Amino acid sequence: MLNDASRFSPAAKRVILLTGFDPFGGDMQNPSWLIAQALHGQRIAGHVVIAAQLPTVFDEALQHLQALVAAHQPALTLCLGQAGGRAALSLERIGININDARIADNRGHQPIDTPVVPGGPAAYFSTLPIKAMLRATLCAGVPCEVSQTAGTFVCNHVLYGLMHMLARGTGQAGARGGFVHVPWLPAQGTPHLPLRDMVRGIHTALWTAMLVQSDIALGAGATY
Ligand code: PCA
């Protein structure tokens, strides 16, 4: 399913954009950014990983992401975020067109029931092969699951906004994108995962996403 002609163009950029967030809600660190930093510069399937930090701020995070996608023209963008209380890497299936913040973001904004994109579609699916990524990550021995909700805070905002910009043609033709929530680090609370395991899991998931174009290639209804 290598249907993306730009892959073979000499002008095509060979970048994987990997983002993480700054700490929020009183936390001192955010594992999503530590994971992204750990993978910065890695070569995966002929592409180089570029790590970038997004602010945990509504709208500003999307402005940053839009500029990054426009500048780097990534073949694949994976955004990472922290989800305290989850015990496994959570491969998000869907972003929805709603901001409904339980707490204030890092600039004190707390939007309630506003759209991410006024007039935009209700939701976007991730275009990453989440079932293939799930299998490979579990095979690597890292706890992993498919998640049916990225919440309604800045992470969902970024997933929805990323898929909207890709659908509207920002960046490389055929570029894919998605989102993974990660658990706390041991120092932040329970449940948690060690940083090295999360880095290995995201590395495996990225390789799989680059090698498998779509879950449809696995056959409809690929099981857990
Ligand atoms: N997690 C938050 C926003 C930033 C982050 O790392 C979320 O789940 O929305």
Side-chain angles (χ1 to χ4, degrees):
M1 292 264 296
L2 297 179
N3 55 3
D4 175 10
S6 64
R7 288 175 67 121
F8 305 107
S9 150
K13 297 266 182 94
R14 294 188 160 267
V15 166
I16 295 169
L17 178 62
L18 182 63
T19 70
F21 284 99
D22 59 354
F24 68 100
D27 273 327
M28 301 304 289
Q29 46 191 358
N30 189 325
S32 68
W33 174 232
L34 302 182
I35 296 164
Q37 278 181 296
L39 291 170
H40 179 77
Q42 287 276 325
R43 296 208 161 261
I44 295 180
H47 291 62
V48 65
V49 175
I50 293 185
Q53 192 185 69
L54 300 181
T56 304
V57 179
F58 286 97
D59 297 325
E60 227 175 275
L62 276 181
Q63 286 156 17
H64 269 64
L65 186 59
Q66 173 98 28
L68 286 162
V69 170
H72 295 295
Q73 302 278 312
L76 187 151
T77 299
L78 180 63
C79 299
L80 306 175
Q82 167 187 310
R86 295 198 191 180
L89 301 183
S90 293
L91 312 178
E92 299 295 349
R93 191 194 291 269
I94 191 165
I96 58 177
N97 193 12
I98 197 82
N99 304 311
D100 192 14
R102 185 179 46 83
I103 58 171
D105 70 15
N106 284 351
R107 287 221 189 279
H109 305 141
Q110 192 169 0
I112 307 291
D113 294 347
T114 63
V116 181
V117 176
Y124 285 103
F125 288 119
S126 161
T127 46
L128 301 185
I130 53 175
K131 293 292 183 70
M133 293 160 73
L134 174 72
R135 288 181 184 187
T137 307
L138 289 173
C139 282
V142 179
C144 190
E145 64 193 5
V146 167
S147 164
Q148 317 300 351
T149 173
T152 52
F153 192 48
V154 181
C155 288
N156 171 73
H157 178 83
V158 159
L159 171 56
Y160 182 93
L162 169 66
M163 302 319 300
H164 186 74
M165 69 180 82
L166 295 179
R168 291 297 168 99
T170 303
Q172 192 182 126
R176 295 175 297 145
F179 197 100
V180 178
H181 264 121
V182 305
W184 278 321
L185 296 164
Q188 293 178 284
T190 301
H192 53 248
L193 284 178
L195 179 61
R196 68 173 180 284
D197 289 5
M198 295 203 266
V199 170
R200 193 158 49 84
I202 297 299
H203 192 223
T204 303
L206 277 178
W207 263 103
T208 307
M210 290 304 293
L211 296 177
V212 179
Q213 185 71 14
S214 147
D215 279 327
I216 293 164
L218 300 178
T223 54
Y224 291 76

